[in-house]
Amino acid sequence: MSTRYQNLYVLDTWRRYGNWLLVLALGGLAVTLILTVQKKSNAATPWLISAAVCLGFSSSMWLRQHFSYVQLQGDQLVIRVYTSRCRVDLTDIRRVRVGRLLGAMDKADRRRYMPRGRARRWQDTEALLLRLRQPDDGRLRRILGRRCVFDDEVVLPLADPTALLHEIESATAPRGEAASGPRQAAPRRSRRRR
């Protein structure tokens, strides 16, 4: 089974908000327990509801980051975010490379989609850059959102995008070349005329 490469946008959302929601949920449960022991059940109910809501959002974010990845399966690139999944044939990809997120988002129409907050941290983040043969028909944009899909280009900040690039290159290389490495020119033999 091939490696799964996590989507860093979704992982960052979990790290920024999920842990705090979990702390709030535990705090709400503690206050509910204290009020219940003091036999103030009417006052405990709003705290219990708040704890349940925070726990629900936190669990949803954890599941989302756990099931958001990119994976190479045979001759298809599987892009999954939570329960949504999209398959892209390698033949539909014109060019694939790894680049810095800042370079990919440096165009005027893309700057507003650069992650806010810790922008400096995102500038040096490496992303997998896919150039499709045809503009996206909406499938990828529905799954990944506007900050990842721009017409025929897909920008995916991933954990270790270089390893995925090597997997894609190995899968698309001709069979003989993949097994023996880069192709070398055969030595020329001169023919003598008789």
Side-chain angles (χ1 to χ4, degrees), residues 29 40 55 58 60 90 137 152:
L29 288 173
K40 298 180 179 177
L55 189 61
S58 180
S60 174
L90 295 182
D137 60 0
D152 65 342

Side-chain angles (χ1 to χ4, degrees), residues 1-181:
M1 187 171 168
S2 60
T3 309
R4 294 178 175 179
Y5 300 91
Q6 266 193 309
N7 185 327
L8 294 182
Y9 280 149
V10 181
L11 184 62
D12 184 62
T13 303
W14 158 249
R15 287 180 177 162
R16 288 176 71 186
Y17 304 112
N19 292 325
W20 286 111
L21 286 169
L22 194 57
V23 168
L24 289 172
L26 292 174
L29 288 173
V31 170
T32 302
L33 184 63
I34 291 167
L35 291 173
T36 304
V37 168
Q38 294 176 351
K39 299 190 178 177
K40 298 180 179 177
S41 60
N42 289 342
T45 304
W47 286 98
L48 184 61
I49 292 170
S50 299
V53 168
C54 289
L55 189 61
F57 278 122
S58 180
S59 301
S60 174
M61 285 182 185
W62 184 85
L63 287 169
R64 187 175 173 86
Q65 66 87 24
H66 187 72
F67 292 107
S68 296
Y69 57 83
V70 178
Q71 181 182 27
L72 185 66
Q73 291 181 353
D75 61 346
Q76 291 183 330
L77 198 63
V78 177
I79 299 170
R80 180 174 177 172
V81 176
Y82 204 19
T83 57
S84 301
R85 182 180 299 171
C86 183
R87 294 178 180 273
V88 179
D89 286 333
L90 295 182
T91 54
D92 293 339
I93 299 173
R94 184 169 29 142
R95 189 173 119 195
V96 60
R97 64 186 177 92
V98 171
R100 287 176 44 213
L101 194 59
L102 179 66
M105 305 294 267
D106 202 28
K107 296 177 183 171
D109 60 334
R110 296 183 188 182
R111 282 191 196 123
R112 62 184 171 164
Y113 296 113
M114 189 76 175
R116 293 190 176 96
R118 296 176 280 177
R120 222 170 254 209
R121 175 178 113 33
W122 285 103
Q123 289 177 358
D124 294 328
T125 302
E126 288 193 332
L128 187 74
L129 308 173
L130 303 171
R131 178 80 64 176
L132 305 174
R133 293 195 185 279
Q134 308 232 344
D136 175 49
D137 60 0
R139 293 178 308 147
L140 286 171
R141 184 172 279 189
R142 274 193 302 275
I143 294 172
L144 293 170
R146 292 178 181 263
R147 64 181 172 176
C148 290
V149 182
F150 307 96
D151 294 326
D152 65 342
E153 190 171 9
V154 180
V155 179
L156 288 168
L158 300 174
D160 199 8
T162 307
L164 180 57
L165 175 67
H166 292 312
E167 280 188 39
I168 293 170
E169 286 175 344
S170 297
T172 55
R175 295 289 175 223
E177 190 175 318
S180 64

